[in-house]
Amino acid sequence: TDRKKLHTAPVGQVFRLRPFHVLVATGGGYAGYRKYEDYKLEQLEKRGIEVPVKLASEWEVALYKSVPTRLLSRAWGRLNQVELPTWLRKPVYSLYIWTFGVNMKEAAVEDLHHYRNLSEFFRRKLKPQARPVCGVHSVISPSDGKILNFGQVKNCEVEQVKGVTYSLESFLGPRVSTEELHFSQAPPGNSFQQQLVTKEGNELYHCVIYLAPGDYHCFHSPTDWTVSHRRHFPGSLMSVNPGVARWIKELFCHNERVVLTGDWKHGFFSLTAVGATNVGSIRIYFDQDLHTNSPRYSKGSYNDFSFISNNNKEGIPMRKGEHLGEFNLGSTIVLIFEAPKDFKFNLKAGQKIRFGEALGSL
């Protein structure tokens, strides 16, 4: 008589699954599987074994995109803003330091109790002498990271990693008006690549730098140049680690990105900050109107902003090594620029590089 009644819902209600839940569960499981595959590839690379390229099929890309990475990234961003109790800061940050190999001796503030939340820790500043800027070479690395690829742009295609390419025009979007960039009008009928090259005898070059979670998350101006235009592409926030970049063709064209274009002494110059999972926030210091990872966006859309105005006829001048922007965790920087044919990169694919070190020179 003391037994309590057990109230149960109809079996149909208990086991009712919504399509969204199925997509999240399936996509999340598949993303975990891909992470494991990436780990195996990294181990093979460390042993010097060349890994053959195996591209994802359309359904695999669609399945990966079904994971709500934008929503998860916004949630991660809010979590990062939560102030940690003083007693918890050192254990949490120490675990992150150990996991990703962070060198706190380079930080301007080494005391872990100083950082109120994870966001402040991710965006920590470096000591002034930690990254000397190379004054000899014309182009320096804008950030810490790993060189995924570099070289000349050929046939309007850019390599994100060896053997995996993406379309130059899809990545940068339609050409910005020549009036904004002070460029001469290209002859009609030329390819998109030829339209970007403004001086006879020049070539178009590219360099891809991957920022790991443990890297310094700010990025700087890679040379002396003038920023005339910003184009923001809302998009997916898939992982951009080397394993995924080797797996998904045109990964950088799928993901959210901020393209800064302008000119330097040799012609066209652009720097693109590519977003990734948990990196929904891309900040450009001089661009207060930029807001990334918004909840709503139209697929394939982009928005433009010109820094050329009646009050500013030249744009935003940037000096080599000057602070330019930051990520909230780590992602990718892509440089695409025009230079004479004798421009040479001083790099090796896969090498680690730090902000301020030389990328190349004439």
Side-chain angles (χ1 to χ4, degrees):
T1 57
D2 294 331
R3 291 179 181 175
K4 295 181 180 180
K5 291 182 179 180
L6 177 64
H7 296 277
T8 60
V11 174
Q13 292 181 16
V14 173
F15 292 102
R16 182 184 299 166
L17 291 175
R18 299 180 184 276
F20 175 76
H21 298 153
V22 174
L23 287 173
V24 170
T26 308
Y30 192 74
Y33 166 73
R34 288 306 313 173
K35 285 287 186 182
Y36 173 68
E37 290 294 309
D38 295 340
Y39 171 77
K40 292 198 298 183
L41 289 176
E42 288 177 6
Q43 297 304 309
L44 291 174
E45 286 183 342
K46 287 180 180 179
R47 292 161 56 187
I49 301 174
E50 187 172 346
V51 181
V53 174
K54 183 182 179 182
L55 294 177
S57 62
E58 289 186 11
W59 72 265
E60 287 178 309
V61 175
L63 184 58
Y64 192 179
K65 281 187 171 183
S66 72
V67 181
T69 51
R70 294 179 63 83
L71 177 62
L72 292 172
S73 296
R74 285 195 294 275
W76 175 253
R78 288 179 184 151
L79 179 63
N80 288 348
Q81 298 292 334
V82 175
E83 185 169 343
L84 296 176
T86 305
W87 62 268
L88 189 58
R89 294 174 189 177
K90 189 170 183 179
V92 170
Y93 301 147
S94 295
L95 177 62
Y96 187 91
I97 290 167
W98 176 78
T99 303
F100 296 108
V102 179
N103 183 3
M104 284 302 294
K105 291 183 179 180
E106 298 176 332
V109 180
E110 296 184 41
D111 182 11
L112 297 180
H113 297 101
H114 168 81
Y115 302 100
R116 294 174 297 177
N117 52 47
L118 284 166
S119 182
E120 285 189 3
F121 179 72
F122 293 149
R123 295 180 288 107
R124 63 193 177 277
K125 304 301 181 185
L126 298 180
K127 294 174 181 175
Q129 68 275 19
R131 296 290 187 277
V133 175
C134 176
V136 177
H137 293 80
S138 54
V139 184
I140 62 168
S141 176
S143 65
D144 289 8
K146 178 181 180 181
I147 301 295
L148 292 190
N149 216 303
F150 63 92
Q152 283 190 19
V153 177
K154 297 180 180 179
N155 302 319
C156 296
E157 293 278 326
V158 186
E159 281 195 320
Q160 58 192 30
V161 294
K162 186 177 180 181
V164 182
T165 62
Y166 55 93
S167 163
L168 180 64
E169 187 169 7
S170 296
F171 181 70
L172 296 179
R175 187 169 181 244
V176 180
S177 67
T178 55
E179 289 79 8
E180 287 188 24
L181 298 182
H182 314 293
F183 293 166
S184 58
Q185 183 66 43
N190 280 9
S191 69
F192 183 80
Q193 179 178 337
Q194 291 170 327
Q195 291 177 27
L196 295 180
V197 177
T198 64
K199 298 181 180 180
E200 188 176 352
N202 281 3
E203 298 287 350
L204 209 59
Y205 297 86
H206 74 99
C207 183
V208 183
I209 305 170
Y210 166 68
L211 288 74
D215 287 329
Y216 168 58
H217 298 328
C218 296
F219 51 93
H220 301 246
S221 176
T223 192
D224 296 333
W225 65 307
T226 301
V227 184
S228 305
H229 186 270
R230 178 259 290 160
R231 176 169 286 160
H232 172 216
F233 291 85
S236 301
L237 287 173
M238 295 184 283
S239 172
V240 293
N241 73 50
V244 177
R246 187 185 294 107
W247 180 54
I248 297 181
K249 184 177 174 64
E250 299 204 329
L251 170 65
F252 299 154
C253 297
H254 290 295
N255 271 16
E256 181 162 19
R257 59 198 182 279
V258 177
V259 182
L260 300 178
T261 53
D263 60 291
W264 70 319
K265 60 184 178 181
H266 298 297
F268 173 81
F269 199 97
S270 74
L271 179 148
T272 301
V274 183
T277 309
N278 294 337
V279 195
S281 174
I282 301 171
R283 183 183 174 194
I284 304 297
Y285 294 138
F286 57 74
D287 189 354
Q288 301 303 315
D289 295 320
L290 175 66
H291 300 286
T292 57
N293 196 10
S294 57
R296 297 179 181 273
Y297 75 97
S298 299
K299 185 177 180 180
S301 66
Y302 63 86
N303 57 76
D304 288 336
F305 184 86
S306 175
F307 298 110
I308 304 293
S309 64
N310 292 331
N311 297 326
N312 181 4
K313 300 292 185 181
E314 298 298 323
I316 308 296
M318 296 297 301
R319 304 296 296 175
K320 184 168 65 174
E322 186 177 350
H323 278 83
L324 182 54
E326 63 187 35
F327 293 109
N328 258 1
L329 186 59
S331 191
T332 299
I333 295 286
V334 180
L335 302 179
I336 298 175
F337 57 93
E338 174 184 358
K341 290 182 177 180
D342 57 350
F343 181 87
K344 300 294 182 185
F345 283 103
N346 302 314
L347 302 171
K348 292 181 180 178
Q351 79 171 69
K352 284 284 190 178
I353 198 165
R354 304 202 302 177
F355 155 62
E357 295 179 346
L359 286 184
S361 187
L362 297 171

